[in-house]
Amino acid sequence: MDDKNLLIANLLFPDVCQTPEDMEKRYPERGLPEGAKVTRIAPSPTGFVHFGNLFPAFVSERLARQSGGVFLLRIEDTDSQRKVEGAVETIISSFAYYGLNFDEGVTTGADIGNYGPYTQSQRAYIYHIYAKDLVARGLAYPCFLTKEELEDIRAQQEKQKVLPGCYGKWSKYRDCDIETIKQLISQGKPYVLRLRSPGKEGGRITYTDIVKGKLEMDENYLDQVLLKSDGIPTYHFAHAVDDHLMRVTHVVRGEEWLSSLPLHLQLFGVLNFKAPKYLHISLLMKQDGNSKRKLSKRHDPEAALTYYKQQGYPAQSVREYVMTLLNSNYEEWRMQNPGLDLNEFKFTTAKMAHSSSLFDLHKLDDVSKNTIATMSAKQVTSYVLDWAYEFDSELYKLLSADTDYAEKIFAIGRNDPKPRKDLAKWSEVRGYIDFFFDSLFAVKDAFPENVCTSDTRKILQEYCKIYDCQDDSQHWFERIKQLAESMQYAPKPKDYKQNPQMYKGHVGDISMVLRIAVTGKTMSPDLYSVMQILGKQRVIKRLMDALERIKE
Ligand code: GLU
């Protein structure tokens, strides 16, 4: 170690007495069984959780769980301007909602685990130990360039058409003598700490990403900032120090970090750390007209994780959907194993998409309809109640006043071999079941045009006389067929199709008149079940009310 560098190190970090060796002892190898993966997510507490954050989180969680490893939460709060009150709680509860729970790291109480602190703002002393060591070994230096000087350098670089940034001859303080440094520091001049990059212009590196495969990239030769002027590390420096000391084996993160990979690998190198394995997840794209673009926080409400909860997508549906995007064989597995828990699926990085995946709300709706179709009426009732409690108090009041009634409604068509798939999200429930409640009942659709008004009237009048709530579904339908026949409507649609001149219409027209009278709509769940649940009195009242309306 050269004395000059040691002197600068002591000058910059007079209070730092510990060494990297001390840190190695403090944060030893974890001693996990061979193959166990240590993963983490490292969100910034900005108050906004992007839907895309679920992807690295799911992958990290699966990799750790499936290998008997550790999944941890680290909070990257080095950018104090972006910090928002309560954001950490939001992060934890958002991920927990999707079944992502951490073994270690930040919690709503004290940290859990022996590798903390897990919040970067509490780790300044650790970063400084490594920063001091790098300076002492000639691998980092203080840079006093002002904003104006940097702008000036950039302008010259643009003119000369060379890479912008601080490096080589452009970096005035790269080889500054100790006297000048001493003087500038004693004058209180602000400085950042820069890496003295060992990279060469024109150098290339190769790296094999777990998903992207073999990559060849330009070597980093920029003297990147490691510590900002307030002593707080940049993401790059903190990433290397934290993931090394937390003994993270696999870093799963968004593709937007891929361009920083050469710098990160270089940092692991100069710090004498073994680099983790990287897995960069492709961007989530959205179809916009004929082109595709990034799912954007500013333009797409569905970019926010909160959107899914508000809309009432069950967490299970969102998990299913994320998994279909993450592993190309997931959907097939799900079809073969409809009853199994998602965690029984063997997630593998080999089945992950190399390029961007297309985000599609319609697909999510389909996945969610399938998911909800597998739930029991009891489960649906309980989920809807939870959702309505938070987002639709009127619906909550109605449903919670008689949960047996609610359960009967949600049971319609649920035990069939081919269950109904009406609902994709709980916010659709109100429109689906409103007619079961007098206070929400509204006539939305008109009676069918192909049935004349006098026939409509007659259907309603006659049906009031013959409706028997004791009927089973077969008898119930028999009566409607008889009514059809008595009014010259074919008892089977097929008969009508074969001989349209013989009939005014068919049994479906009769049912439609009844359906609209009872539910107010042309589309509803099974009418027999609807009438059973509504009860005789209410059915007759709806029929009579409809008659009244026709008279008006
Ligand atoms: N704090 C970074 C972010 O929020 C973390 C990236 C990483 O996982 O390393 O994007």
Side-chain angles (χ1 to χ4, degrees):
M1 208 176 291
D2 135 354
D3 282 354
K4 174 193 148 198
N5 290 328
L6 197 55
L7 285 172
I8 300 174
N10 284 328
L11 186 66
L12 300 182
F13 301 97
D15 302 328
V16 174
C17 318
Q18 285 179 292
T19 63
E21 290 69 45
D22 296 326
M23 293 297 100
E24 289 299 311
K25 276 189 215 132
R26 164 70 185 84
Y27 301 103
E29 298 266 4
R30 285 175 182 265
L32 292 169
E34 178 86 19
K37 299 182 171 81
V38 180
T39 60
R40 83 316 188 259
I41 58 165
S44 302
T46 60
F48 180 85
V49 186
H50 195 289
F51 177 69
N53 290 143
L54 276 187
F55 290 71
F58 264 82
V59 175
S60 301
E61 193 258 4
R62 285 294 81 210
L63 293 183
R65 294 273 182 276
Q66 288 184 172
S67 65
V70 177
F71 176 44
L72 65 89
L73 173 65
R74 178 169 75 230
I75 295 295
E76 304 211 328
D77 60 346
T78 53
D79 188 348
S80 53
Q81 280 170 1
R82 295 173 69 212
K83 244 190 252 182
V84 167
E85 199 59 41
V88 172
E89 286 74 13
T90 307
I91 289 171
I92 293 172
S93 64
S94 305
F95 286 116
Y97 181 71
Y98 294 103
L100 296 168
N101 298 302
F102 304 96
D103 304 306
E104 194 174 304
V106 176
T107 73
T108 46
D111 283 2
I112 293 178
N114 296 326
Y115 289 79
Y118 296 89
T119 300
Q120 287 184 333
S121 57
Q122 295 166 21
R123 299 173 61 80
Y125 69 99
I126 301 178
Y127 305 123
H128 289 189
I129 294 170
Y130 286 95
K132 181 173 187 177
D133 178 62
L134 286 178
V135 175
R137 291 191 289 121
L139 291 161
Y141 64 93
C143 168
F144 299 86
L145 287 172
T146 61
K147 208 168 143 235
E148 291 71 31
E149 284 175 304
L150 284 168
E151 275 165 15
D152 191 44
I153 292 174
R154 179 173 273 266
Q156 288 183 51
Q157 288 170 329
E158 261 167 35
K159 227 188 262 165
Q160 295 183 27
K161 295 197 168 54
V162 295
L163 185 76
C166 230
Y167 57 97
K169 67 170 184 178
W170 301 100
S171 182
K172 182 164 143 194
Y173 295 98
R174 197 172 212 257
D175 298 307
C176 187
D177 60 87
I178 186 160
E179 289 314 315
T180 314
I181 294 175
K182 252 190 200 162
Q183 203 183 355
L184 291 168
I185 286 181
S186 67
Q187 287 167 7
K189 281 263 192 293
Y191 67 89
V192 298
L193 192 77
R194 285 188 187 273
L195 169 71
R196 185 176 276 115
S197 174
K200 298 271 170 301
E201 198 172 337
R204 301 281 285 168
I205 60 158
T206 53
Y207 181 77
T208 305
D209 181 275
I210 295 177
V211 165
K212 302 268 171 205
K214 196 165 174 198
L215 304 166
E216 204 188 319
M217 308 172 91
D218 284 337
E219 183 181 31
N220 173 65
Y221 59 95
L222 293 178
D223 288 352
Q224 298 275 14
V225 175
L226 303 178
L227 294 180
K228 295 178 258 185
S229 56
D230 53 6
I232 301 288
T234 53
Y235 164 75
H236 312 295
F237 187 46
H239 153 54
V241 172
D242 292 347
D243 282 324
H244 170 70
L245 291 182
M246 292 178 190
R247 305 293 171 178
V248 169
T249 60
H250 291 68
V251 168
V252 181
R253 61 185 182 184
E255 191 174 50
E256 65 273 22
W257 293 109
L258 200 55
S259 57
S260 306
L261 187 59
L263 167 64
H264 297 163
L265 292 171
Q266 192 171 72
L267 284 175
F268 276 90
V270 296
L271 287 160
N272 298 324
F273 298 157
K274 178 172 181 264
K277 292 203 165 73
Y278 285 94
L279 189 164
H280 288 91
I281 297 199
S282 305
L283 287 177
L284 254 194
M285 305 296 273
K286 179 177 163 144
Q287 193 75 37
D288 194 356
N290 286 333
S291 52
K292 288 180 196 164
R293 61 168 174 78
K294 243 170 86 176
L295 190 62
S296 131
K297 172 175 164 180
R298 226 174 317 142
H299 301 114
D300 308 310
E302 69 271 29
L305 201 50
T306 44
Y307 171 86
Y308 302 86
K309 200 172 173 206
Q310 276 160 6
Q311 289 288 313
Y313 283 105
Q316 207 184 321
S317 302
V318 176
R319 292 181 51 145
E320 287 285 324
Y321 178 55
V322 170
M323 209 45 115
T324 59
L325 288 181
L326 278 176
N327 254 196
S328 54
N329 56 334
Y330 182 73
E331 266 186 289
E332 201 186 320
W333 177 86
R334 176 46 87 207
M335 272 190 305
Q336 285 158 6
N337 302 284
L340 289 190
D341 187 289
L342 171 147
N343 289 340
E344 308 230 2
F345 170 72
K346 175 98 182 63
F347 174 80
T348 121
T349 53
K351 297 281 183 191
M352 286 180 72
H354 297 225
S355 52
S356 59
S357 12
L358 199 59
F359 174 81
D360 178 3
L361 272 178
H362 299 297
K363 176 75 183 167
L364 169 61
D365 281 353
D366 283 347
V367 170
S368 192
K369 281 180 182 169
N370 286 332
T371 306
I372 293 178
T374 65
M375 295 176 180
S376 69
K378 210 179 182 61
Q379 282 170 321
V380 172
T381 308
S382 137
Y383 283 128
V384 173
L385 279 171
D386 283 351
W387 176 82
Y389 183 75
E390 214 173 326
F391 300 104
D392 187 344
S393 56
E394 189 185 15
L395 185 67
Y396 177 77
K397 251 191 232 149
L398 288 169
L399 292 176
S400 59
D402 187 351
T403 50
D404 287 344
Y405 187 66
E407 241 176 72
K408 278 189 204 148
I409 297 173
F410 293 123
I412 301 178
R414 206 155 274 282
N415 292 326
D416 296 358
K418 273 198 170 169
R420 292 185 66 89
K421 294 179 180 171
D422 302 286
L423 296 169
K425 48 190 174 179
W426 308 134
S427 52
E428 291 171 354
V429 163
R430 178 189 262 264
Y432 176 66
I433 68 166
D434 48 6
F435 58 85
F436 282 104
F437 301 92
D438 291 334
S439 61
L440 299 183
F441 174 74
V443 182
K444 295 200 175 119
D445 295 324
F447 285 114
E449 278 178 12
N450 57 328
V451 180
C452 67
T453 311
S454 64
D455 277 0
T456 304
R457 201 173 293 139
K458 189 156 178 214
I459 294 167
L460 296 170
Q461 271 163 348
E462 291 305 310
Y463 193 72
C464 278
K465 292 183 204 154
I466 58 172
Y467 175 58
D468 185 347
C469 62
Q470 306 290 334
D471 283 346
D472 61 17
S473 68
Q474 223 180 332
H475 282 106
W476 171 85
F477 194 47
E478 251 342 289
R479 276 187 214 272
I480 297 181
K481 282 208 272 195
Q482 281 163 13
L483 176 60
E485 247 179 326
S486 74
M487 292 180 65
Q488 270 183 287
Y489 285 73
K492 289 182 189 150
K494 194 176 78 190
D495 297 343
Y496 174 69
K497 263 185 214 141
Q498 279 165 1
N499 295 302
Q501 70 291 350
M502 277 178 63
Y503 302 101
K504 290 181 172 176
H506 62 78
V507 64
D509 300 319
I510 310 288
S511 309
M512 185 53 86
V513 169
L514 297 175
R515 186 185 301 278
I516 292 173
V518 172
T519 69
K521 310 185 243 209
T522 54
M523 305 266 272
S524 81
D526 173 53
L527 191 57
Y528 170 75
S529 312
V530 167
M531 289 187 179
Q532 286 288 302
I533 295 170
L534 280 172
K536 179 159 187 171
Q537 243 183 338
R538 220 165 353 188
V539 169
I540 299 291
K541 179 154 187 337
R542 296 259 168 104
L543 296 170
M544 301 294 276
D545 287 351
L547 252 178
E548 276 301 303
R549 282 196 303 275
I550 302 179
K551 278 189 194 145
E552 279 161 13

